[in-house]
Amino acid sequence: MCGIVGVVGGRDATPIIFDALRRLEYRGYDSAGIATLVDGRIERRRAAGKLDNLASVLARAPLAGVTGIGHTRWATHGAPTENNAHPHGTPRVSVVHNGIIENFEALRRELEQAGYVFVTETDSETVAQLVDFHLARGLSPREAAFATLRRLEGAYALAMIFAGHDDLLIGARHGAPLVVGYGENEMFLGSDSLALAPLTRRIAYLDDGDWVMVTPEGAEFFDASGERVERAVRTTALIAGSVGKDGYRHYMDKELHEHPVVIGQTLQRLIDPATRRVVLPDLPFDLASLPRAAVTACGSAFYAGLIGRYWLEAVAGLPVDIDVASELRYRDPPLTPGGLGLLISQSGETADTLAALRGMRARGQHILSVLNVEQSTMARESDVVLGTVAGPEISVASTKAFTAQLSVLACLTIAIGRARGTLSLTQEQELVAELLDLPSRANEVFDQAPAIRAMAAVVAEARDVLYLGRGSAFPVAMEGALKLKEVSYIHAEAYAAGEMKHGPISLIDSTVPIVATLPSGRLFEKTLSNLQEARARGGRLLVFTDTQGAPRLRDLAEIVVALPTVSEFTAPVLQTIPVQMLAYEVALLKGTDVDQPRNLAKSVTVE
């Protein structure tokens, strides 16, 4: 999950780029660098390790210039060294790259035969050398970039600067996100809008295959064939983590928009970017020898635990029992000695969950708690705490804490899977890569706000709403139904889609909207059949799916929200965000007290 920043304008570029790279640290990285144009020539500074190392380099050798590019690298080809750090380039061009160039070996051989000497182990250097090859033959930067892009295979987001062209950035996107930011007499490139906050709120997204020429006056977009195209400029929400509302109408709205940062920050704490492995704190018990896990929580945290159960059983092969904490404390179940007691709480003070913790400890369980407040009572009474980096959550209805909890549970699942031998090193790294892609994908969910508002207009007129899902999408449906109840006061219930025929189908008529969470994957066809049954009985279908599943639903559902397509493993994290957004939009239409719904408290510290 590399990060890209570019700036062209009238201010010193290096401080702007460095601060933006700080905002990209959540992605995970192992080296960083900046290149700028100084009196028409390219200069760069790079360092292995954290940005503090790059800061030290810059303190010793400051970097001037008003046009530049910066990068945080996650090593793929070549070790995480200063020499392999981006930007890469020649005296004519400097390039930063996210992704993998799949045909770099063939391109490299061609360039070596033409006399080019490579100095890094990376695939990314091939891009810079190929651009230089075309520049050396008299092509303009625009022509050289386009000629290079036509040869590249794989996934990439690119940003380039050119010697002698102090007012030009060129960017390109194919399979990896890139955005253009609009300032006052300055322009920006970034991996996503998070990279550019708070530099600008005016953002244009490159479509897949696009490339762009950026000058201080604006941006000129082209498609993969080189034809000029227009890309809409949008006003994005501010990203912030303070206690204030920061311009948002409600805390809930602000906290919804913090999902991408929260996911990234939480993952950063648990993942080593150098090895692409999950790294947990020292544990006072052996993950490999755990016979069973007992998961317990309340409210949204319980639904996070349900998703965790799907992961732990399917990925790690660990048997899991799960109970609502208020039931577990009185059910008095037999627990396997030496098992794992896994407790989840935002506040760490939830009374029922704390009581369940104490009961589990009395029955010989190892206690691991997933908490957002690491100085809480539950933290002090646990064997180990895995913290969520969600920051203050002021709205009573929990939002960003939920995806932070899922981020922790996903990492824990991977760690247990490796310990138990159900995951190979390669499989672990693949799952880690999927997780680290989530912050960018989560940021794209907000592009679907208009369709979600259209859904809200339907739901706001209803007295009852059914939510449906299968597999790990079922707890997502449960979370959606809970949020709707909490903030809009509309009655909503979630069911496993296959259970609809066993009773709930009798409720379906034209007055009961059916909200379905239906990502593509193994259970898509089965759930689609359930929705067709609902439609046949007059049900109004409102469906959250992904770009892969959307074409199958266009003629069936009244409204379809197509999210980015991600893996089955990470889909529940992404699907959670829009169901929470739907509840918020309905609450706005109903005129309720969004941040402080009636009868509810943020932390339930009584039974």
Side-chain angles (χ1 to χ4, degrees):
M1 281 302 299
C2 309
I4 285 176
V5 181
V7 59
V8 55
R11 291 188 290 167
D12 254 357
T14 296
I16 297 171
I17 294 170
F18 189 87
D19 288 346
L21 293 179
R22 282 285 192 203
R23 290 189 291 276
L24 288 172
E25 283 193 291
Y26 70 87
R27 290 167 166 255
Y29 65 104
D30 49 49
S31 60
I34 297 173
T36 64
L37 289 165
V38 181
D39 297 326
R41 70 182 185 277
I42 296 170
E43 291 195 10
R44 63 177 174 170
R45 306 287 186 266
R46 300 177 295 166
K50 295 300 182 183
L51 280 171
D52 288 344
N53 298 339
L54 179 60
S56 298
V57 172
L58 290 167
R60 295 192 301 268
L63 196 55
V66 298
T67 297
I69 51 178
H71 193 262
T72 51
R73 177 182 185 241
W74 181 286
T76 54
H77 296 77
T81 64
E82 178 180 341
N83 189 57
N84 287 329
H86 296 219
H88 296 301
T90 73
R92 296 185 183 93
V93 62
S94 189
V95 175
V96 291
H97 166 227
N98 296 352
I100 294 176
I101 305 301
E102 295 175 354
N103 63 331
F104 84 98
E105 291 177 326
L107 294 174
R108 182 166 177 157
R109 285 194 297 269
E110 286 183 26
L111 290 164
E112 287 174 335
Q113 290 170 3
Y116 277 76
V117 176
F118 283 74
V119 296
T120 78
E121 304 168 272
T122 69
D123 59 328
S124 305
E125 186 189 4
T126 308
V127 180
Q129 297 279 26
L130 187 54
V131 173
D132 186 273
F133 173 86
H134 293 300
L135 291 171
R137 279 147 184 79
L139 297 187
S140 68
R142 170 178 173 168
E143 293 165 337
F146 182 48
T148 297
L149 295 174
R150 297 179 71 177
R151 295 293 312 280
L152 301 182
E153 298 175 8
Y156 54 79
L158 296 164
M160 312 175 194
I161 57 175
F162 300 85
H165 296 268
D166 288 4
D167 59 351
L168 177 64
L169 294 174
I170 291 184
R173 173 190 177 175
H174 182 69
L178 192 70
V179 301
V180 175
Y182 289 73
E184 294 297 327
N185 299 314
E186 62 184 351
M187 295 285 289
F188 310 97
L189 286 173
S191 305
D192 53 39
S193 59
L194 297 180
L196 305 185
L199 295 170
T200 180
R201 296 182 63 191
R202 298 178 63 229
I203 299 291
Y205 294 86
L206 276 71
D207 286 353
D208 209 40
D210 281 357
W211 57 286
V212 62
M213 295 182 63
V214 182
T215 69
E217 290 74 39
E220 188 176 6
F221 296 86
F222 304 88
D223 63 19
S225 67
E227 293 297 316
R228 176 78 183 271
V229 293
E230 298 294 329
R231 295 294 176 240
V233 179
R234 310 179 187 189
T235 301
T236 66
L238 295 169
I239 302 298
S242 65
V243 175
K245 292 180 183 176
D246 297 327
Y248 288 95
R249 185 172 175 180
H250 299 96
Y251 282 110
M252 184 177 180
D253 189 24
K254 172 178 177 281
E255 290 159 8
L256 281 167
H257 282 84
E258 289 175 343
H259 275 298
V261 172
V262 164
I263 294 168
Q265 290 175 341
T266 301
L267 292 173
Q268 183 183 24
R269 180 179 288 190
L270 296 171
I271 290 173
D272 180 356
T275 60
R276 286 176 286 165
R277 299 191 67 180
V278 170
V279 180
L280 300 184
D282 291 336
L283 303 178
F285 50 87
D286 179 21
L287 292 178
S289 63
L290 293 174
R292 197 171 190 89
V295 180
T296 193
C298 300
S300 289
F302 174 71
Y303 302 143
L306 284 171
I307 294 171
R309 179 183 66 176
Y310 281 99
W311 285 339
L312 286 166
E313 292 182 339
V315 176
L318 180 67
V320 177
D321 300 309
I322 184 164
D323 283 274
V324 174
S326 57
E327 288 296 308
L328 178 67
R329 63 185 297 189
Y330 296 114
R331 195 163 63 82
D332 221 11
L335 298 175
T336 306
L340 177 65
L342 177 56
L343 301 105
I344 308 165
S345 170
Q346 190 278 139
S347 67
E349 304 291 349
T350 310
D352 290 315
T353 312
L354 179 59
L357 182 156
R358 292 167 176 163
M360 286 180 167
R361 181 176 294 286
R363 291 174 175 81
Q365 303 299 288
H366 302 296
I367 304 300
L368 187 156
S369 293
V370 178
L371 308 172
N372 195 44
V373 182
E374 296 181 46
Q375 297 78 38
S376 60
T377 304
M378 285 181 62
R380 293 192 297 272
E381 296 191 23
S382 299
D383 294 325
V384 64
V385 173
L386 296 183
T388 57
V389 193
E393 192 181 60
I394 308 302
S395 176
V396 169
S398 182
T399 53
K400 61 179 180 173
F402 188 89
T403 54
Q405 290 161 353
L406 292 182
S407 299
V408 170
L409 292 170
C411 290
L412 177 62
T413 296
I414 292 170
I416 294 176
R418 281 290 287 150
R420 291 171 62 86
T422 62
L423 288 177
S424 67
L425 174 59
T426 297
Q427 290 171 320
E428 176 182 8
Q429 292 173 331
E430 289 172 350
L431 292 178
V432 165
E434 292 168 6
L435 288 175
L436 288 172
D437 193 40
L438 274 175
S440 289
R441 301 287 79 77
N443 206 45
E444 294 174 22
V445 172
F446 299 106
D447 294 342
Q448 299 300 317
I452 294 171
R453 293 190 189 104
M455 275 192 181
V458 175
V459 173
E461 298 299 319
R463 189 183 71 175
D464 305 284
V465 183
L466 292 180
Y467 281 70
L468 299 177
R470 277 182 182 262
S472 59
F474 172 38
V476 174
M478 298 171 80
E479 166 66 3
L482 176 63
K483 284 294 162 291
L484 189 69
K485 284 181 280 194
E486 286 181 321
V487 300
S488 76
Y489 314 149
I490 294 174
H491 173 252
E493 295 298 333
Y495 292 91
E499 280 292 287
M500 185 180 63
K501 295 185 296 296
H502 299 279
I505 198 169
S506 66
L507 299 173
I508 293 175
D509 61 28
S510 61
T511 69
V512 180
I514 299 164
V515 179
T517 52
L518 180 54
S520 58
R522 294 179 302 119
L523 300 176
F524 183 86
E525 296 295 339
K526 292 291 186 184
T527 313
L528 185 62
S529 296
N530 300 136
L531 297 187
Q532 288 167 335
E533 293 168 341
R535 172 66 182 274
R537 288 155 180 83
R540 301 181 69 180
L541 301 181
L542 313 174
V543 183
F544 294 103
T545 184
D546 52 34
T547 54
Q548 184 173 326
R552 299 284 306 279
L553 290 157
R554 297 293 185 196
D555 296 331
L556 180 67
E558 183 172 335
I559 300 174
V560 175
V561 173
L563 306 177
T565 299
V566 296
S567 71
E568 189 169 331
F569 180 64
T570 56
V573 185
L574 203 64
Q575 292 270 329
T576 294
I577 300 171
V579 300
Q580 293 178 343
M581 291 172 65
L582 174 62
Y584 173 75
E585 295 294 340
V586 173
L588 290 183
L589 294 174
K590 299 289 286 186
T592 63
D593 188 346
V594 175
D595 286 330
Q596 295 181 317
R598 66 190 184 198
N599 305 330
L600 297 180
K602 183 61 182 173
S603 179
V604 182
T605 55
V606 295
E607 183 180 351

